[in-house]
Amino acid sequence: MKGVVLAGVMIGGMLAGPAMAADLSRADAPAVKAPAVVPTPVFSWTGFYIGANAGYGWGSGDGLPGSLGADPQGWVGGGQAGYNYQFDNNVVAGVEADLQGGDISAEAGGLSSTLNTLGTVRGRLGYAAGRVMPYVTGGLAWGNNSLDYLGLDQSKTHVGWTAGAGVEYALSEHWTAKTEYQYTDLGSKFYDALGADAGVTAHTAKVGVNFKF
């Protein structure tokens, strides 16, 4: 009888040992922490950038002799480069230069007019709402305009001003996209081919992309 009891005690101890070891291993195991949440870095507009643009331009024939009703219109495309600085209050100030080639042209009554080059040097002032920045812009503008009247062709470089507004959005840490409107007044010049002054004004609506360094 004592042998049976002793055998039972030994079997019970053997069965209880693994269970106690399992309990101890669970008690000694370190607590598993949830992975830390990494905050999304705040985008900064500060830095140099370079990019490309394309769009559409249109003007008015009011500056042409006799108001011939020739309203120039056509495509524009080119590039831009600039620098932005973002202040602590999220105001963004910058400067941008751009150069576009194009074919903003019209023809009427034997007179054709083509604005084939348009460039600007402008200040920009915006507000950074995270990755979205609305802004206003304005500054110096110049352009090359060509007139052909009854076979007499002449080109002039006009200098004036431009102003407009736009919205830019940060696609990633380095890439941004923008849409922009500008009104440009390049003033009037005397054309020998016409024997009169001709003025150049243009509206442009463009989309573009920038790479920020």
Side-chain angles (χ1 to χ4, degrees):
M1 187 63 178
K2 289 182 179 180
V4 174
V5 173
L6 183 57
V9 171
M10 292 177 64
I11 293 173
M14 293 174 64
L15 293 176
M20 292 175 64
D23 290 341
L24 289 173
S25 64
R26 284 195 295 267
D28 294 338
V32 178
K33 295 182 179 180
V37 177
V38 179
T40 303
V42 178
F43 182 80
S44 172
W45 292 92
T46 297
F48 291 94
Y49 62 89
I50 189 170
N53 68 76
Y56 196 76
W58 65 99
S60 171
D62 293 342
L64 299 176
S67 296
L68 296 176
D71 293 331
Q73 55 186 311
W75 62 270
V76 292
Q80 67 274 344
Y83 177 80
N84 289 320
Y85 182 81
Q86 182 174 335
F87 295 91
D88 292 339
N89 59 0
N90 292 331
V91 171
V92 179
V95 62
E96 180 176 285
D98 61 11
L99 179 63
Q100 281 76 231
D103 185 22
I104 305 177
S105 59
E107 183 175 358
L111 171 65
S112 66
S113 172
T114 303
L115 180 62
N116 49 52
T117 306
L118 181 61
T120 70
V121 178
R122 297 170 285 106
R124 297 206 311 170
L125 186 64
Y127 182 81
R131 291 181 173 268
V132 179
M133 183 183 69
Y135 63 89
V136 294
T137 184
L140 177 73
W142 65 274
N144 185 75
N145 191 62
S146 178
L147 288 180
D148 187 303
Y149 185 55
L150 301 178
L152 298 176
D153 185 32
Q154 188 175 16
S155 295
K156 290 276 188 177
T157 298
H158 292 243
V159 178
W161 59 272
T162 186
V167 178
E168 193 164 358
Y169 178 76
L171 301 170
S172 67
E173 186 64 24
H174 294 288
W175 288 98
T176 69
K178 70 173 184 175
T179 180
E180 183 178 86
Y181 163 81
Q182 290 182 42
Y183 172 77
T184 303
D185 186 340
L186 297 179
S188 297
K189 280 201 169 186
F190 185 84
Y191 283 79
D192 296 327
L194 295 171
D197 287 347
V200 178
T201 62
H203 305 263
T204 55
K206 299 176 292 182
V207 294
V209 293
N210 287 321
F211 179 83
K212 185 174 80 72
F213 297 95

